[in-house]
Amino acid sequence: MCIGIPMRIVTANEFVAQCERHGAISTISLLLVGPQPTGTHLLTHLGSAIRVLDADEAHAIDDALAGLVEASEGRAFEPLFADLVSREPELPPHLGTE
């Protein structure tokens, strides 16, 4: 399984950005998403930005990752999945029952 990690650009040039997550700085390639301004949220995987995120989506992914840690350690995780707990499950259209 691959997991994308949300990060925020601190400084960048055309090809590479210094990105921050929870106080740690990592060098991230921008070759797949193109140049991005400081403050942009990115979904990263193995040192590369794979998608630009808005702040709400970055926060939701961060909460989900924290929720996985909480669940694996036997602690309450439901508040970190509020966007899922508060609604009925939905199948994608191609998996509908029609």
Side-chain angles (χ1 to χ4, degrees):
M1 171 183 11
C2 298
I3 296 179
I5 305 297
M7 301 187 87
R8 186 184 51 80
I9 296 176
V10 177
T11 62
N13 63 36
E14 189 174 352
F15 304 109
V16 177
Q18 296 299 310
C19 295
E20 183 271 335
R21 180 170 192 270
H22 300 285
I25 302 291
S26 300
T27 300
I28 301 295
S29 168
L30 298 175
L31 292 176
L32 296 175
V33 298
Q36 300 295 322
T38 299
T40 299
H41 293 271
L42 303 169
L43 186 63
T44 67
H45 179 67
L46 296 175
S48 292
I50 57 175
R51 188 159 63 91
V52 175
L53 302 171
D54 65 37
D56 290 337
E57 188 175 20
H59 182 72
I61 294 168
D62 234 3
D63 280 353
L65 292 172
L68 292 174
V69 171
E70 295 298 307
S72 71
E73 294 178 357
R75 294 191 296 264
F77 60 88
E78 291 84 356
L80 295 164
F81 290 99
D83 61 321
L84 299 176
V85 173
S86 64
R87 66 177 173 86
E88 287 296 316
E90 297 175 16
L91 288 174
H94 69 281
L95 295 177
T97 58
E98 295 178 13

